[in-house]
Amino acid sequence: MNDLSDSVGAVLPQRAHFDTPLELTGGGVLPSFDLVYETYGELNASRSNAVLVCHALSGNHHVAGRYADNPKDVGWWDNLVGPGKPLDTRKFFVVGVNNLGGCYGTTGPKTLNPATGRPWGADFPVVVVEDWVAAQARLADRLGIEAWAAVMGGSLGGMQALQWTLEYPQRIRHALVIASAPKLTAQNIAFNEVARQAILSDPDYHGGHYYAHGVVPARGLRLARMIGHITYLSDDQMAEKFGRRLRQGEFKFNYDVDFEIESYLRYQGDKFAGYFDANTYLITTKSLDYFDPARDFGGNLAAALARARAKFLVVSFSTDWRFAPERSREIVYGLVHNGLGVSYAEIESIAGHDSFLLDDPRYHAVMRAYFEGIKT
Amino acid sequence: MTNVLGRFDFDVIAKWIRPGEKVLDLGCGDGSLLRYLRDEKGVLGYGVDNDPDNVLACIGNGVNVIRIDLEAGLSGFEDGYFDHVVMSLSLQTVRHTEQLLAEMLRVGREAVVSFPNFGQRSHREAIAKGRMPVSETLPYQWYNSPNVRFFTMADFEALCAERGIVLRERLGFDGESRVTEDLNLNASIAVYRLGKAG
């Protein structure tokens, strides 16, 4: 980690304020909003080298590099984005943005509601993928980007990349849809519902206005994250990483931590509950559940994709059961139906859904090859 | 014969494909046939391969490629979507030969297949001497061959007749030269253009 030659180095988040009201998919209007974002690399003279990186459930705008005052805070996709990396910042101008409803500075439930002077809390509208993409388009306008060379995302981020091709077909040349799906399955929605119930039933939730009580529903958020983590890993990987190993070598015959996996989940849950906002978690899981571009087309995904003009790279991971390869193939065949350019790589990996954040050599080779083929 | 692609059977296949067609290439390797068809004929092509190195090579070549296992069939593709479904020197590597041929003619108007002819003279002679054939077109030893089906042109044609698959055109090659006499004895590579009956 000492060799920083392929890092974008120290980065600074920026803020863009938008005064034009944004009409929301679920009804209602955001009269104004802020987006927090970061950029890496240089926008070229023809403005043809811009790549938008969309984040998933718990991500944010800090995609790559590190903060000067906190060098340990490395961007969440730093292994993929940087000089000489698969998404090469010497060639591309990369933009990361925290989505609406987020908790990293972008307008969201923690933000003061201008109508009340208090944090929005649970009154913040349930914003969805379509709204995020509409807000991202405003940011593109602000940055002078008429069309993205590419929009890329994993999981929920991949849904945003897909939505870009449908909502703004003329403004995106390539979409990289990684470990994603055209819609969630019932099982997937079920996991989200358990996570939401964990938060909603936490006495510290206070109907979503916990900020006023000086507390956060940490227990609920912790449980939500624990169940999430179970679904992001594969059975094989959990067996390899933790197995039945005991924390202290013997059974305790109580409800403290016996097994390493319990320790891991508690640690991940506690860490997450310490920084993430519960209302943002609720909104974001709903956004995942609602995403279904085929819904307006009688469930016919191919018909929904007819609007797209971009070329696609679709990637899935063999042991990802939360966003299984079959879901990616649905996208692929829908694109083929429309005669759209698409390549589909299914990567062997034991790491489940989390694979998309790891630096598997074959995965990164595919990403590198695809980005190298994008003309700027 | 000119050999623009380094694979002489590609030349034949390319001649059977008209500009602007939709083409599916099964076992597409590094995508060089599809790249040629795209650049020279404006073909909308998709490759299928299950080897991650080939998938990567196709992406590097800017060719559409879909990683699926051919043994699992082509169920994701729609009936009659493609003008041509090509399978170049790969038919002998799949186990479900019958099903795959049927699938090729389900998703495509025509199928084009090429394969090494196990009935060629040198292969017969090897067998007569008691050893499995090893040649330019069958370069593998029996224990490391990716080929799982061993058949002659006559075998293939018998299967087609049985399954109502129409042989629209048939070519044989020895090395890179066309063979015209007794193809099953003289051709080391067979190339067929296939259609559905009726």
Side-chain angles (χ1 to χ4, degrees):
Chain A
M1 291 299 277
N2 289 328
D3 178 15
L4 300 180
S5 60
D6 61 352
S7 166
V8 298
V11 296
L12 279 176
Q14 301 171 73
R15 173 179 298 271
H17 179 74
F18 299 90
D19 271 325
T20 312
L22 184 69
E23 284 193 35
L24 301 173
T25 306
V29 173
L30 265 187
S32 67
F33 59 94
D34 285 10
L35 294 178
V36 171
Y37 66 100
E38 289 179 10
T39 71
Y40 324 107
E42 299 289 332
L43 187 61
N44 64 11
S46 54
R47 299 169 189 266
S48 61
N49 69 335
V51 175
L52 175 67
V53 179
C54 303
H55 69 76
L57 184 55
S58 58
N60 55 32
H61 52 281
H62 186 34
V63 174
R66 53 206 73 214
Y67 294 133
D69 58 353
N70 185 10
K72 284 187 179 162
D73 191 352
V74 178
W76 56 271
W77 223 345
D78 190 74
N79 61 23
L80 193 83
V81 181
K85 288 179 178 169
L87 175 46
D88 192 339
T89 50
R90 296 171 306 193
K91 175 181 177 184
F92 293 104
F93 174 67
V94 180
V95 179
V97 58
N98 187 211
N99 285 322
L100 280 180
C103 52
Y104 291 96
T106 282
T107 299
K110 284 199 318 192
T111 312
L112 295 184
N113 178 351
T116 63
R118 291 181 299 147
W120 281 91
D123 297 334
F124 195 84
V126 176
V127 285
V128 293
V129 169
E130 289 86 335
D131 302 317
W132 291 341
V133 167
Q136 290 161 2
R138 298 271 187 95
L139 181 62
D141 295 340
R142 181 71 53 88
L143 296 173
I145 297 160
E146 206 168 296
W148 299 100
V151 178
M152 166 174 80
S155 192
L156 177 56
M159 291 173 167
Q160 293 159 59
L162 183 58
Q163 183 61 28
W164 260 98
T165 71
L166 306 180
E167 194 61 40
Y168 303 102
Q170 311 302 333
R171 300 192 69 178
I172 166 172
R173 292 193 285 124
H174 295 268
L176 292 89
V177 180
I178 316 300
S180 193
K183 61 173 186 275
L184 293 194
T185 60
Q187 185 194 47
N188 216 328
I189 294 169
F191 283 120
N192 284 341
E193 173 59 4
V194 174
R196 283 190 294 268
Q197 286 301 323
I199 293 168
L200 294 168
S201 61
D202 185 327
D204 285 339
Y205 181 62
H206 294 292
H209 295 287
Y210 44 86
Y211 318 98
H213 295 79
V215 292
V216 294
R219 283 164 293 179
L221 198 50
R222 178 173 181 263
L223 273 178
R225 187 59 167 177
M226 286 168 84
I227 190 155
H229 259 283
I230 296 168
T231 69
Y232 304 150
L233 302 178
S234 72
D235 191 23
D236 284 352
Q237 192 198 25
M238 253 195 215
E240 183 176 285
K241 210 167 166 180
F242 308 103
R244 290 180 53 85
R245 272 197 309 283
L246 296 167
R247 192 92 178 117
Q248 297 185 18
E250 57 185 8
F251 293 166
K252 312 285 278 183
F253 296 99
N254 63 30
Y255 303 110
D256 290 338
V257 165
D258 276 315
F259 294 93
E260 287 285 1
I261 182 62
E262 296 173 304
S263 168
Y264 171 81
L265 288 176
R266 289 183 191 198
Y267 171 76
Q268 291 293 341
D270 286 338
K271 193 172 77 164
F272 189 67
Y275 66 78
F276 205 78
D277 180 66
N279 283 316
T280 293
Y281 201 90
L282 293 173
I283 289 169
T284 310
T285 56
K286 287 307 270 189
S287 180
L288 268 164
D289 293 358
Y290 288 145
F291 185 71
D292 180 9
R295 192 164 178 269
D296 290 340
F297 295 83
N300 184 341
L301 179 62
L305 297 177
R307 286 171 287 168
R309 293 292 173 271
K311 291 181 174 152
F312 287 74
L313 176 67
V314 178
V315 178
S316 73
F317 299 91
S318 56
T319 55
D320 183 352
W321 55 280
R322 186 99 198 238
F323 288 79
E326 289 87 334
R327 302 282 85 74
S328 284
R329 282 197 290 265
E330 288 173 24
I331 299 173
V332 171
Y333 290 125
L335 295 170
V336 172
H337 171 89
N338 288 293
L340 292 162
V342 56
S343 280
Y344 169 62
E346 190 176 316
I347 309 287
E348 268 98 20
S349 163
I350 70 151
H353 188 52
D354 267 351
S355 302
F356 86 87
L357 294 168
L358 307 179
D359 59 354
D360 176 90
R362 207 175 277 287
Y363 165 43
H364 273 201
V366 163
M367 300 295 276
R368 180 182 296 277
Y370 194 83
F371 274 116
E372 281 175 358
I374 295 178
K375 295 185 179 70
T376 57
Chain B
M1 160 167 291
T2 57
N3 188 3
V4 286
L5 299 173
R7 275 272 298 275
F8 67 95
D9 63 319
F10 285 180
D11 296 327
V12 177
I13 294 166
K15 284 195 177 69
W16 287 339
I17 288 166
R18 286 186 294 273
E21 284 194 352
K22 288 182 186 147
V23 175
L24 184 66
D25 185 0
L26 305 178
C28 63
D30 68 1
S32 47
L33 174 64
L34 285 174
R35 187 168 62 170
Y36 173 78
L37 293 174
R38 181 196 62 200
D39 294 345
E40 299 300 318
K41 299 205 165 189
V43 156
L44 173 61
Y46 297 91
V48 166
D49 213 293
N50 200 31
D51 177 340
D53 290 330
N54 285 338
V55 170
L56 177 60
C58 284
I59 293 171
N61 281 327
V63 167
N64 298 320
V65 62
I66 299 168
R67 183 177 181 196
I68 48 171
D69 180 5
L70 284 180
E71 299 286 8
L74 303 174
S75 59
F77 297 103
E78 296 157 88
D79 293 1
Y81 184 77
F82 294 98
D83 298 295
H84 278 102
V85 180
V86 176
M87 194 162 188
S88 172
L89 296 181
S90 295
L91 192 63
Q92 75 284 359
T93 66
V94 294
R95 204 165 286 282
H96 299 100
T97 319
E98 268 189 270
Q99 291 90 329
L100 191 60
L101 280 171
E103 279 286 85
M104 289 174 77
L105 286 169
R106 177 183 68 80
V107 304
R109 193 169 48 74
E110 279 194 340
V112 174
V113 298
S114 64
F115 56 81
N117 175 30
F118 284 71
Q120 197 244 3
R121 178 181 284 108
S122 73
H123 302 150
R124 296 188 196 190
E125 286 167 356
I127 295 273
K129 285 181 192 153
R131 297 293 301 269
M132 287 299 283
V134 177
S135 67
E136 202 178 323
T137 50
L138 295 173
Y140 304 99
Q141 296 292 337
W142 63 273
Y143 50 82
N144 64 11
S145 174
N147 300 329
V148 298
R149 296 289 183 210
F150 306 92
F151 53 99
T152 68
M153 291 178 77
D155 290 327
F156 181 73
E157 290 171 21
L159 174 67
C160 290
E162 206 177 295
R163 292 290 175 268
I165 296 170
V166 178
L167 309 182
R168 295 199 172 145
E169 216 162 328
R170 176 181 79 160
L171 296 171
F173 295 87
D174 183 28
E176 299 196 5
S177 331
R178 273 283 298 279
V179 171
T180 49
E181 302 283 311
D182 197 350
L183 300 193
N184 195 38
L185 185 63
N186 294 313
S188 58
I189 296 280
V191 190
Y192 287 87
R193 192 160 64 86
L194 307 171
K196 279 168 283 200

